[in-house]
Amino acid sequence: MFTNTVSDRCGEPAIAELNAGRVPVPAVNVQPGPREWRRPRDNRGKPRILLYSHDTMGLGHIRRNILLAQALTSGQLAADVLLITGAREAGRFQLPRSCDVVVLPALCKDADGAYGARHLSLPLCEIVALRSQMVLASIKSFRPDLLIIDNVVRGINGELDQALRYLRDSGGTRCVLGMRDIRDEPQAVRHEWERAHCYEALRNYYHEVWVYGDPRVYDPRSEYSLPDDIAAKVRFTGYLDQRARLQDTARTAGENNEKIKPRGRFGLCLVGGGQDGAALALAFAQAVYPDDTSGVIITGPYMEVTTRERLQAIAAMRPELRVVEFMSEPTELLRDAAFVVTMGGYNTVCEVLSFEKPALVVPRVVPRREQLIRAECLREIGVIDMLHPEQLSPQNLSVWMDKLEAGASSHARHLIDMQGLQRISEFTAANLQKPRPAAAKSLRVAS
């Protein structure tokens, strides 16, 4: 039960002790920050933007935030951007100028959706508390003008609660939730957000919600039955055109591309971080490719060693197949591919749409059905083909590849709004021009 003890000037219920229902984050009594917190811009006039991603499964969140950082550090904004990520692989990516990274101790998510430490021998409560303190310390030191949180309202198990409360009490920072187009089935999202008190957090801590999608494809306001006051905060950016990745990474991507890319026509198989991509990768490795066509599989760093070894053994028997463990920037390779066979993660699907590639999407269906819903929506528009994972086999992949027409294109950019990066820059500039949030008085929660 939350009790509103905030002054009338704040006018919203206090939620100083939100609990996700699993592991509470230790409460910290933070007093309003000093007046200099509401500082003018630094001497160079550069705004400071902090991007957070929890990164518990795959590399999609950190890759999306790096793409946002590329847009926010360039052009008229020319911001300083600090990335907070749970993926230590972030150090293997080429970061934009005026961008740096803080890496949190890694978490992972199992097939049932439960979280645990990926590398350290720490119980979940301790690693969440450690991550929470690191986020809070980074915010206090960096003092961002704008905080953009990727997809998870309160972080994993409420690890952002202290930071959000500190920003609310201190003032000076506008907070935005950046959501991918689809989270999960509507009933599952509503249940999760109610249980984790996300609606209260969105009301109390967030100024806007940016959806990285096109409402003509999927509209979370109606699908998730968002309350009117929260729906009013939603801004649609459009999908993120991944061709922009090549602007900052052309040299490095080109070098990697030339080392890996086969001569002539080839198809590309992508499985994200690889944690649950074994079935698709093995099916692609054993499929029959069209004449004069090679295959390339990028396994991702999280695929099990035994699966990677099996794939390499198959490739040793098939000169037309190459298996690559990790590429920091596979976008140019995707650009040159004749077709793509992939799981249905947001970033990879955006890459397929951006380059208008013929694609067969084999979506993940557990623990979330996000990829399945995305693939179904885009199949209805006619910009991808979809194969349910229950129907996955080398034979079915072979049949799909054999039916492809040479030079086929999805024409996706003519059918779907792909202006996300431009609008994010516009939305950011608009937020930076708005008055800084005033410091709130201390919040108290009834016991």
Side-chain angles (χ1 to χ4, degrees):
M1 175 70 96
F2 298 109
T3 300
N4 184 3
T5 59
V6 189
S7 69
D8 293 339
R9 180 167 60 86
C10 297
E12 294 177 345
I15 55 167
E17 292 298 333
L18 293 176
N19 189 336
R22 292 183 182 174
V23 181
V25 175
V28 173
N29 183 19
V30 180
Q31 296 300 320
R35 181 172 297 276
E36 57 265 23
W37 170 247
R38 297 188 296 280
R39 57 171 173 77
R41 300 280 192 263
D42 60 38
N43 293 334
R44 295 170 297 164
K46 299 187 70 172
R48 298 182 184 182
I49 301 173
L50 192 150
L51 305 177
Y52 159 93
S53 57
H54 63 287
D55 302 291
T56 58
M57 191 170 187
L59 299 171
H61 298 277
I62 181 58
R63 289 193 73 228
R64 179 161 59 244
N65 272 357
I66 290 174
L67 183 61
L68 297 189
Q70 180 180 323
L72 298 175
T73 56
S74 61
Q76 293 184 347
L77 283 174
D80 280 328
V81 173
L82 181 65
L83 299 169
I84 297 182
T85 172
R88 65 183 183 184
E89 289 80 9
R92 301 173 71 177
F93 292 97
Q94 183 172 332
L95 299 179
R97 293 181 179 179
S98 300
C99 177
D100 217 327
V101 61
V102 173
V103 179
L104 306 174
L107 291 169
C108 63
K109 181 166 61 174
D110 63 23
D112 296 324
Y115 295 104
R118 183 179 293 276
H119 306 295
L120 298 177
S121 299
L122 292 179
L124 181 61
C125 60
E126 290 186 16
I127 199 166
V128 168
L130 176 57
R131 285 165 58 104
S132 177
Q133 292 297 326
M134 290 178 67
V135 172
L136 180 61
S138 298
I139 286 175
K140 286 182 176 181
S141 297
F142 187 61
R143 298 178 296 163
D145 301 298
L146 179 68
L147 168 64
I148 304 175
I149 291 171
D150 189 86
N151 214 55
V152 182
V153 179
R154 298 176 49 225
I156 298 303
N157 283 39
E159 69 182 2
L160 295 180
D161 287 351
Q162 296 181 53
L164 289 170
R165 185 162 55 245
Y166 174 78
L167 292 174
R168 165 72 182 255
D169 287 353
S170 302
T173 299
R174 293 185 64 82
C175 295
V176 170
L177 176 69
M179 287 178 53
R180 60 178 181 247
D181 55 347
I182 299 163
R183 284 188 56 84
D184 202 349
E185 291 182 309
Q187 184 177 356
V189 173
R190 290 193 290 267
H191 174 73
E192 176 189 348
W193 279 14
E194 289 171 359
R195 177 183 57 81
H197 302 288
C198 291
Y199 296 111
E200 294 97 318
L202 286 167
R203 290 187 176 102
N204 282 269
Y205 297 141
Y206 286 89
H207 298 89
E208 293 182 358
V209 177
W210 297 349
V211 178
Y212 306 141
D214 183 338
R216 297 172 298 179
V217 178
Y218 196 86
D219 191 340
R221 295 173 302 185
S222 57
E223 295 290 345
Y224 301 153
S225 303
L226 294 183
D228 290 343
D229 59 332
I230 294 175
K233 298 183 178 186
V234 172
R235 307 285 186 271
F236 288 92
T237 68
Y239 286 91
L240 307 183
D241 192 336
Q242 307 290 305
R243 293 177 300 169
R245 291 187 185 277
L246 300 182
Q247 296 173 7
D248 274 5
T249 60
R251 181 182 58 80
T252 303
E255 292 172 355
N256 290 334
N257 193 49
E258 291 306 315
K259 292 177 182 178
I260 295 168
K261 185 178 71 172
R263 292 184 178 180
R265 188 173 187 267
F266 70 96
L268 180 63
C269 178
L270 298 170
V271 294
Q275 182 171 326
D276 57 351
L280 178 56
L282 288 167
F284 185 86
Q286 298 172 77
V288 177
Y289 309 139
D291 293 341
D292 300 321
T293 301
S294 301
V296 177
I297 302 172
I298 302 179
T299 67
Y302 301 144
M303 182 173 284
E304 292 185 355
V305 174
T306 54
T307 303
R308 292 203 301 267
E309 292 175 344
R310 185 176 174 189
L311 289 169
Q312 292 289 357
I314 296 173
M317 303 296 292
R318 300 191 65 180
E320 72 274 26
L321 174 64
R322 297 187 181 185
V323 177
V324 182
E325 177 182 345
F326 176 81
M327 286 186 70
S328 62
E329 192 47 75
T331 308
E332 187 169 333
L333 195 65
L334 186 145
R335 183 199 64 183
D336 295 339
F339 59 86
V340 180
V341 176
T342 180
M343 298 179 69
Y346 177 87
N347 288 342
T348 304
V349 168
C350 279
E351 288 178 320
V352 165
L353 300 177
S354 300
F355 291 98
E356 299 186 324
K357 293 294 178 179
L360 179 65
V361 175
V362 185
R364 175 191 302 135
V365 296
V366 292
R368 295 182 181 272
R369 298 177 73 82
E370 160 225 337
Q371 293 192 6
L372 176 63
I373 297 169
R374 178 179 298 115
E376 290 174 338
C377 290
L378 294 173
R379 180 182 59 179
E380 290 180 7
I381 296 173
V383 292
I384 58 119
D385 293 324
M386 190 196 88
L387 181 69
H388 195 282
E390 292 179 355
Q391 300 174 317
L392 176 62
S393 69
Q395 293 75 20
N396 284 340
L397 295 187
S398 303
V399 169
W400 179 82
M401 288 186 283
D402 190 58
K403 291 181 178 179
L404 286 176
E405 298 181 2
S409 171
S410 69
H411 304 290
R413 295 198 302 273
H414 300 283
L415 300 172
I416 296 174
D417 185 349
M418 300 291 296
Q419 300 300 312
L421 292 176
Q422 177 181 337
R423 290 206 187 88
I424 286 170
S425 295
E426 294 171 355
F427 292 171
T428 297
N431 272 270
L432 293 174
Q433 292 170 5
K434 292 179 180 179
R436 303 290 184 84
K441 293 185 177 180
S442 296
L443 301 176
R444 292 188 294 111
V445 175
S447 59

